[in-house]
């Protein structure tokens, strides 16, 4: 058994400074492999979108790859890939990120590319129309043409939350996407892509002093703009049960998702950590409570998973957020039997508590997963960056294993008491196509 | 804003590449025939384990049944041993941060896990029990069989799976590689006795490879593994798949999927294997064509025309045959144009030379991602498991890097002509036939088929 101790804290030092234009910079050197990761996280996500512009944060993410002041279309990809590196970006509820992993000798090139598009992306009519088409195909491949597409992350929030920020479709409606204009994109850029609204995090095989020089060389030129006010995404906790149904004509069998509001991941992190281990205890692997009950003992389900945050990362999301249990079950199992079993298992933890040895096993597994994530330079760098943006402390990413190892059975029991059947949001997916059976 | 022009004088030049560090690989063969590969790696305190057991179908006529039994065996092996039930096994592994996953493909069964370093002995103990004394208990096997059947139904509803299955069926005909997913009714017929027999006959140490990467001392690991796995002494010989046949491509197959809002375009053909001297040039040709974002296919059908989100090509290796494949999920209304552009770009690869800049970019990308992919414990363990499983050694990595560095433009044209030529590729489209058949007919003959919800079992010859 592994004991909690200094070994659980990643031994990667973190250095930080802020440029005059407000850009926050985090450097996480690790010279063991000749690889660097460069990431920029902007504090704008799906929850920042105004009514009428659903899907815009993600569409704009695509626009950031369409060239910039000194980099023609396609050249961003070519300059990274021809250096032997990889790149991507992704849009989340509370942030949009861009990142590269490259051989160490390409560090300055990546810094140049990120600075150039932070200063002036190429927002043209032609690029915008092209990327609206590409995004529509992305939505078709991930949602419309696929059974269980986007279940439940696009549909459950509509039932679980009240505000537009939390309930709207973050992939966007085709109507909103198609009516987006160059002016919308220019305004969005000017409002949200200010250097003071971003974190630049570089990890891997780098020298701190030299890297600071490189960062200043390229990013000092980006003009300062005020950061927008933080979006208000918190909501009062629900007081009732809410249920909804989606029909999926492509799916061969039904599914159900249950979402419970959880403590504020940022403002109340200690309580939230109990919820993180509760999700693992309920759902991770054959030894978990829901796997045993739903699949093995009662044979109610084909597959189950329970996770925090709609995108599955518990530490990169702000309040308000959910713990979600997602269960795929055979058509001849009534959904209410599934729900009853899930609620009973949660209630068992709430009433009887958690044996210390079971919690120790769950913690060991969680610890191994965090270490595995941190094994790649890119994974570690993204972890530091999101911790800096969301929690204001990059160091937190390196401390999570130790923080989780210190969670007590009482904290996990308390977390389970928060998951009441009376305040859950339940979304049923009904297979209505009648195909394939 | 005016269109930007790339001012190369502004782009920071690349520094000198740092040489990749060759992994320190210790290999040995245990008395029972198991090959052990240990790579000590500092860094995070974790060990990655991969045990690869050869598991190909012994003959084409047995392939459908073998695939069904293998699919169930992969999950049912964890249901219990003579000493521990399923829950105890899961708990033992979890204590050390592990969770064993067992997966199967047409060539092998693969046991994978990660663990905290102090758990090596215990995890190997559990693994040995699973290998030597699995019970396949009747009740739990019944439940697992039902779940596997449901999961197959769900998988078969995914358009990507329908397309992959159709392409494999066309390309491999009666060869076992045509089996992408087992038939649900054959899975339903698998008994615990059949699983025990399959396990006894095929889960053998001789021919299998155990890879450990991470926070381990090589000498100590040999002792621990030798002691833990000494009891795994089953006799027998690994079965490898027969060579794949070369089938004529035939007309494009259009698999009708009523109401589909997108078409899944797939092309595939043979490719040189891991030891073929043409492989490095072909991998580079595939990159330039559609293997990464900076490729011709992405620029054409995504960035210029907006037909698709993620078009791609790749080279894949199975033991008995390698493949070059092209995939694009495109809007229904432009299915014909998207296929036209794809075929155009393939033809251009075969008939005209790529530029030096395209070749250099692809080369640096492949070398860079090879280094990134083997920089983690998990990435290196999976790569070595595949290489050793294919009868190669870790030297392949360095040799392949050198070979990539030497490929010329002429060699890329030559391999493209042989392996990327559209005339030699099998083509499948899954989509709404009423919307796309007329578009596709413009380009050549097509054959419209119904989706294969459940393929009929292979008739006994």
């Amino acid at each position: 058994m592994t004991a909690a101790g200094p070994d659980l804290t990643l031994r990667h030092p973190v250095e930080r400074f802020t440029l005059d234009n407000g850009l926050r910079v985090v450097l996480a050197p690790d010279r063991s492999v000749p690889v660097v990761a460069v990431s920029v996280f902007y504090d704008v996500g799906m929850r920042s979108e105004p009514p009428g512009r659903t899907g815009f944060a993600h569409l704009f993410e695509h626009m950031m790859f369409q060239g910039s002041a000194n980099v023609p279309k396609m050249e961003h990809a070519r300059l990274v890939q021809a250096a032997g590196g990889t790149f991507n970006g992704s849009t989340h509820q509370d942030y949009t990120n861009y990142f590269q992993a490259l051989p160490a000798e390409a560090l300055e090139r990546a810094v140049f590319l990120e600075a150039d598009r932070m200063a002036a992306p190429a927002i043209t009519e032609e690029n915008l129309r092209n990327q609206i088409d590409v995004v529509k195909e992305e939505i078709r491949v991930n949602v419309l043409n696929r059974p269980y597409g986007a279940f439940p992350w696009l549909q459950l929030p509509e039932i679980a939350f009240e505000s537009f920020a939390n309930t709207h479709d973050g992939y966007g409606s085709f109507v909103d996407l198609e009516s987006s204009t160059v002016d919308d994109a220019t305004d969005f850029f000017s409002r949200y892509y200010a250097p003071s609204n971003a974190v630049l995090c570089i990890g891997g095989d780098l020298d701190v002093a030299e890297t600071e020089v490189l960062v200043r060389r390229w990013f000092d030129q980006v003009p300062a703009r005020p950061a927008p006010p933080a979006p208000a995404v918190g909501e009062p906790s629900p007081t009732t049960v809410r249920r909804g149904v989606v029909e999926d004509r492509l799916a061969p069998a039904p599914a159900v998702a249950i979402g419970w509001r959880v403590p504020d991941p940022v403002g109340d992190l200690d309580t939230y950590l109990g919820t993180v281990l509760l999700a693992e205890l309920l759902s991770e692997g054959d030894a978990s409570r829901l796997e045993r009950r739903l699949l093995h003992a009662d044979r109610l389900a084909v597959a189950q998973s329970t996770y925090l945050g709609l995108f599955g990362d518990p530490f990169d999301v702000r309040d308000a957020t959910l713990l979600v249990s997602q269960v795929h079950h055979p058509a001849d199992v009534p959904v209410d039997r599934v729900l009853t079993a899930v609620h009973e298992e949660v209630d068992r933890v709430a009433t009887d508590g958690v044996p210390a040895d079971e919690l120790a096993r769950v913690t060991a597994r969680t610890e191994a997963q965090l270490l595995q994530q941190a094994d790649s330079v890119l994974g570690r760098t993204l972890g530091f960056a999101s911790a800096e943006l969301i929690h204001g402390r990059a160091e937190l990413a390196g401390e999570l294993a130790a923080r989780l190892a210190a969670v007590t059975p009482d904290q996990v029991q308390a977390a389970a008491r928060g998951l009441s059947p009376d305040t859950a949001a339940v979304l049923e997916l009904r297979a209505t196509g009648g195909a394939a059976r | 804003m005016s269109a930007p022009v790339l001012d190369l004088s502004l782009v920071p030049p690349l520094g000198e590449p740092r040489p990749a560090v060759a992994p320190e690989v210790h290999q040995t063969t245990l008395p029972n025939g198991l090959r052990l590969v240990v790579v000590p790696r500092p860094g995070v305190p974790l060990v990655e384990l991969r045990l690869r057991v050869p598991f190909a179908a012994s003959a084409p006529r047995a392939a459908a049944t073998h695939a069904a039994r293998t699919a169930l065996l992969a999950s049912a092996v964890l249901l219990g041993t003579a000493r521990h039930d399923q829950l105890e096994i899961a708990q033992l592994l979890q204590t050390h941060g592990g969770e064993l996953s067992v997966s199967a493909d047409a060539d092998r069964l693969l046991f994978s896990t990660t663990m905290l370093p102090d758990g090596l002995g215990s995890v190997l103990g559990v693994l040995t029990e699973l290998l030597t004394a699995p019970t396949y208990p009747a009740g739990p096997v019944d439940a697992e069989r039902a779940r596997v059947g449901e999961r197959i139904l769900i998988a078969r509803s995914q358009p990507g799976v329908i397309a992959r299955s159709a392409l494999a069926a066309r390309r491999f005909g009666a060869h076992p590689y045509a089996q992408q997913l087992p038939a649900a009714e054959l899975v339903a017929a698998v008994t615990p006795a059949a699983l025990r027999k399959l396990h006894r006959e095929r889960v053998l140490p001789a021919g299998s490879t155990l890879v450990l990467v991470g926070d381990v001392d090589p000498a100590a690991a040999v002792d621990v593994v030798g002691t833990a796995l000494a009891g795994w002494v089953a006799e027998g010989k690994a079965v490898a798949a027969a060579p794949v046949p070369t089938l004529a491509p035939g007309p494009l197959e259009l698999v009708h999927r009523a109401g589909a809002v997108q078409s899944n375009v797939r092309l595939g053909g043979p490719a040189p294997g891991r030891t073929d001297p043409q492989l490095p040039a072909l991998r580079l040709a595939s990159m330039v064509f559609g293997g990464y974002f900076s490729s011709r296919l992405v620029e054409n059908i995504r960035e210029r025309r907006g037909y698709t989100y993620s078009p791609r090509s790749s080279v894949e290796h199975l033991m008995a045959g390698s493949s070059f494949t092209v995939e694009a999920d495109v809007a229904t209304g432009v299915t014909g144009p998207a296929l036209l552009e794809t075929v155009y770009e393939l033809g251009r690869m075969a008939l005209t030379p790529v530029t030096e800049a395209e070749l250099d970019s692809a080369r640096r990308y492949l070398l860079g991602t090879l280094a990134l992919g083997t920089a983690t414990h998990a990435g290196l363990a999976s790569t070595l498991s595949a290489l050793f499983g294919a009868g190669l050694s870790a030297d392949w990595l360095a040799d392949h890097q050198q070979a990539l560095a030497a490929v010329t433009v002429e060699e890329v044209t030559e391999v493209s002509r042989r392996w990327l030529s559209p005339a030699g590729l099998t083509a499948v489209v899954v989509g709404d036939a009423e919307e796309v058949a007329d578009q596709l007919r413009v380009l050549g003959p097509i054959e419209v088929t119904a989706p294969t919800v459940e393929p009929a079992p292979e008739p006994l010859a």
Side-chain angles (χ1 to χ4, degrees):
Chain A
M1 180 96 351
T2 308
D7 265 342
L8 295 187
T9 304
L10 282 183
R11 280 154 298 195
H12 298 96
V14 170
E15 305 273 346
R16 64 156 68 66
F17 53 95
T18 302
L19 302 188
D20 290 343
N21 58 21
L23 178 68
R24 286 159 284 167
V25 183
V26 173
L27 303 180
D30 161 35
R31 314 213 66 164
S32 61
V33 194
V35 168
V36 287
V38 176
S39 65
V40 181
F41 279 53
Y42 292 92
D43 200 333
V44 54
M46 294 172 175
R47 296 206 273 200
S48 314
E49 291 161 352
R53 285 280 75 89
T54 60
F56 203 82
H58 171 247
L59 174 61
F60 194 84
E61 175 213 318
H62 280 245
M63 292 303 292
M64 288 288 279
F65 290 99
Q66 295 298 301
S68 50
N70 296 293
V71 181
K73 184 173 164 106
M74 288 298 287
E75 283 301 328
H76 179 94
R78 288 197 184 111
L79 288 169
V80 174
Q81 295 188 320
T86 61
F87 69 91
N88 213 333
S90 62
T91 310
H92 298 243
Q93 287 186 289
D94 295 320
Y95 64 86
T96 306
N97 68 6
Y98 302 86
F99 50 85
Q100 293 107 32
L102 322 91
E105 70 269 14
L107 171 61
E108 186 170 2
R109 180 179 282 194
V111 171
F112 157 78
L113 288 168
E114 287 301 351
D116 205 58
R117 65 176 165 184
M118 182 182 279
I123 304 171
T124 66
E125 182 67 25
E126 188 187 355
N127 286 343
L128 183 66
R129 290 303 131 205
N130 169 252
Q131 290 305 308
I132 288 170
D133 284 346
V134 170
V135 165
K136 284 165 65 182
E137 288 318 301
E138 181 178 352
I139 294 170
R140 287 192 176 110
V141 76
N142 286 335
V143 183
L144 301 175
N145 200 42
R146 168 188 288 187
Y148 312 101
F151 176 80
W153 74 272
L154 279 185
Q155 307 106 331
L156 182 61
E158 211 174 306
I159 296 165
F161 295 107
E162 298 291 331
S163 68
F164 176 80
N166 285 324
T167 54
H168 75 268
D169 177 347
Y171 243 150
S173 75
F174 280 14
V175 171
D176 282 359
L177 290 170
E178 281 163 1
S179 63
S180 299
T181 65
V182 165
D183 283 349
D184 292 329
T186 310
D187 290 348
F188 193 83
F189 171 74
S190 135
R191 182 173 170 82
Y192 290 112
Y193 278 68
S196 56
N197 204 36
V199 167
L200 166 68
C201 181
I202 307 177
D205 189 2
L206 60 89
D207 175 272
V208 169
E210 284 170 22
T211 307
E212 181 168 348
V213 171
L214 293 185
V215 167
R216 290 189 186 278
R217 179 179 303 157
W218 296 105
F219 278 96
D220 271 343
Q221 306 168 26
V222 183
R225 297 198 295 286
V233 293
E235 283 191 21
S237 287
T239 53
T240 59
V241 66
R242 288 132 299 143
R243 284 185 79 141
V245 174
V246 287
E247 298 195 339
D248 187 336
R249 61 180 184 81
L250 301 175
V256 63
I258 311 163
W260 293 271
R261 189 74 62 80
V262 294
D264 180 351
V266 180
D268 193 7
L269 179 61
D270 277 323
T271 311
Y272 185 75
L273 291 174
T275 314
V276 172
L277 286 185
L278 174 66
E280 300 291 315
L281 176 101
L282 286 173
S283 167
E284 173 71 24
D286 280 336
S288 69
R289 300 287 183 99
L290 289 178
E291 194 82 4
R292 279 150 65 185
R293 173 75 186 269
L294 298 177
L295 274 73
H296 302 305
D298 290 5
R299 302 185 187 179
L300 298 174
V302 181
Q304 63 78 33
S305 65
T306 297
Y307 47 90
L308 273 161
L310 291 163
F311 287 38
D313 181 342
F315 300 110
D316 79 342
V317 65
R318 299 188 176 116
D319 201 36
T321 188
L322 300 174
L323 183 149
V324 182
S325 271
Q326 179 179 343
V327 183
H328 289 256
H329 60 98
D332 58 4
V333 173
V335 65
D336 283 336
R337 278 195 69 199
V338 175
L339 294 175
T340 302
V342 172
H343 288 310
E344 279 177 11
E345 288 304 316
V346 172
D347 185 57
R348 236 160 46 89
V349 180
T351 307
D352 304 340
V354 182
D357 60 337
E358 185 179 0
L359 186 60
R361 286 194 303 268
V362 170
T363 308
R365 176 78 190 126
T366 310
E367 183 188 314
Q369 286 174 324
L370 283 168
L371 288 170
Q372 210 171 18
Q373 218 178 320
D375 187 20
S376 90
V377 175
L378 180 61
R380 203 164 56 230
T381 304
L382 297 179
F384 283 129
S386 79
E388 181 74 12
L389 189 80
I390 301 293
H391 293 270
R393 268 191 81 236
E395 293 84 348
L396 180 66
E399 298 162 3
L400 281 171
R403 295 281 291 266
L404 286 165
V407 170
T408 63
D410 285 351
Q411 282 173 274
V412 178
Q413 185 174 14
R417 290 196 180 119
L419 307 190
S420 161
D422 303 328
T423 55
V426 175
L427 177 70
E428 286 177 54
L429 179 143
R430 290 187 188 151
T432 53
R437 302 249 22 174
Chain B
M1 147 184 302
S2 59
V5 177
L6 184 63
D7 178 359
L8 272 176
S9 69
L10 200 59
V11 178
L14 301 176
E16 275 300 301
R18 299 179 204 186
V21 184
E24 178 193 333
V25 179
H26 300 258
Q27 50 171 313
T28 178
T29 302
L30 301 183
N32 62 5
L34 174 70
R35 188 154 39 165
L36 172 63
V37 177
V38 182
V39 181
R41 270 268 172 113
V44 302
L46 283 180
V47 180
E48 291 287 340
L49 177 154
R50 305 284 182 276
L51 172 66
R52 183 186 164 107
V53 179
F55 229 71
S58 53
R61 57 180 284 183
T65 304
H66 180 75
R69 288 178 180 161
T70 303
L72 186 53
L73 182 139
S75 45
V77 69
L78 296 169
L79 294 175
T81 68
R83 288 181 56 203
H84 295 106
D85 67 15
Q86 179 186 26
L87 175 61
E88 290 164 342
I89 291 165
Q91 288 175 341
L92 282 165
L93 296 166
Q94 193 184 39
T95 299
H96 305 288
E99 183 182 323
L100 196 60
S101 94
V102 188
S103 66
D105 68 17
D107 287 326
R108 52 63 176 166
L109 199 60
L110 185 71
F111 296 76
S112 319
T113 190
T114 180
M115 73 194 88
L116 299 168
D118 65 352
L120 183 59
S122 310
V123 169
L124 287 168
V126 174
L127 183 64
T128 306
E129 276 184 49
L130 292 168
L131 296 169
T132 59
T135 47
Y136 297 103
V141 167
D142 286 348
E144 197 61 42
R145 185 193 299 119
R147 277 195 295 278
V148 171
E150 290 277 347
R151 285 175 188 156
I152 289 170
L153 272 183
I154 289 173
R156 278 192 193 287
S157 68
Q158 300 286 345
V161 174
I162 296 170
R164 193 158 62 243
S165 303
L167 184 62
R170 280 243 150 173
R171 283 201 51 217
F172 299 118
H175 190 275
Y177 285 175
Q179 296 282 327
Q180 286 289 304
L181 269 181
E185 67 260 29
L186 291 183
V187 171
V190 178
T191 62
L195 294 178
R196 286 181 207 117
K197 179 167 183 285
L198 181 62
H199 190 113
R200 205 164 52 237
E201 290 174 351
R202 297 297 306 277
V203 181
L204 310 170
S208 297
T209 310
L210 176 65
V211 174
L212 297 172
V213 175
D215 193 355
V216 285
D217 172 70
V222 172
D223 285 348
V224 175
V225 173
T227 308
L229 286 168
W232 187 25
V233 289
E235 300 270 328
K237 197 164 165 289
V239 177
V244 296
T246 308
L247 302 179
L252 182 148
E253 179 179 5
L254 171 57
V255 183
H256 177 50
R257 188 164 174 263
V261 297
Q262 224 176 19
S263 299
N264 314 98
V265 178
R266 301 290 183 269
L267 295 99
R274 282 195 177 91
T275 55
D276 190 314
Q278 289 200 346
L279 177 66
L282 182 75
R283 285 193 73 202
L284 290 164
S286 173
M287 296 311 293
V288 172
F289 164 71
Y292 67 154
F293 200 90
S294 303
S295 67
R296 295 175 172 193
L297 187 67
V298 172
E299 177 166 13
N300 183 335
I301 68 174
R302 173 181 154 129
E303 293 296 291
R304 198 176 310 145
R305 301 178 204 281
Y307 291 165
T308 176
Y309 170 57
S310 180
R312 59 215 167 266
S313 68
S314 59
V315 181
E316 293 154 22
H317 301 289
L318 287 170
M319 292 291 286
S322 300
S323 296
F324 167 73
T325 58
V326 183
E327 305 185 4
D329 302 328
V330 306
T332 297
V334 296
T335 304
L339 181 62
L340 171 68
E341 296 299 332
T342 304
V343 168
Y344 161 76
E345 295 293 358
L346 285 165
R348 199 156 74 91
M349 288 294 302
L351 296 171
T352 62
V354 301
T355 66
E356 288 285 354
E358 283 177 309
L359 177 56
D360 286 344
S361 170
R363 187 179 350 248
R364 276 193 95 131
Y365 180 78
L366 276 182
L367 291 170
T369 49
L370 192 65
L372 284 171
T374 52
T376 61
H377 294 0
L380 183 61
S382 294
T383 300
L384 291 178
S385 178
L387 288 180
F388 279 90
L392 302 167
S393 74
D395 296 339
W396 186 90
L397 289 171
D399 295 346
H400 187 60
Q401 287 177 46
Q402 281 178 11
L404 285 171
V407 170
T408 64
V409 166
E410 293 69 35
E411 287 169 327
V412 170
T413 311
E414 192 185 319
V415 295
S416 297
R417 200 169 176 122
R418 172 154 176 210
W419 305 101
L420 267 57
S421 150
L425 297 175
T426 303
V428 168
V429 174
V430 177
D432 191 328
E434 290 179 10
E435 301 287 328
V436 303
D438 288 346
Q439 297 178 42
L440 293 172
R441 262 189 215 106
V442 172
L443 299 174
I446 69 169
E447 206 173 285
V448 183
T449 60
T452 317
V453 174
E454 286 294 343
E458 287 283 326
L460 296 177

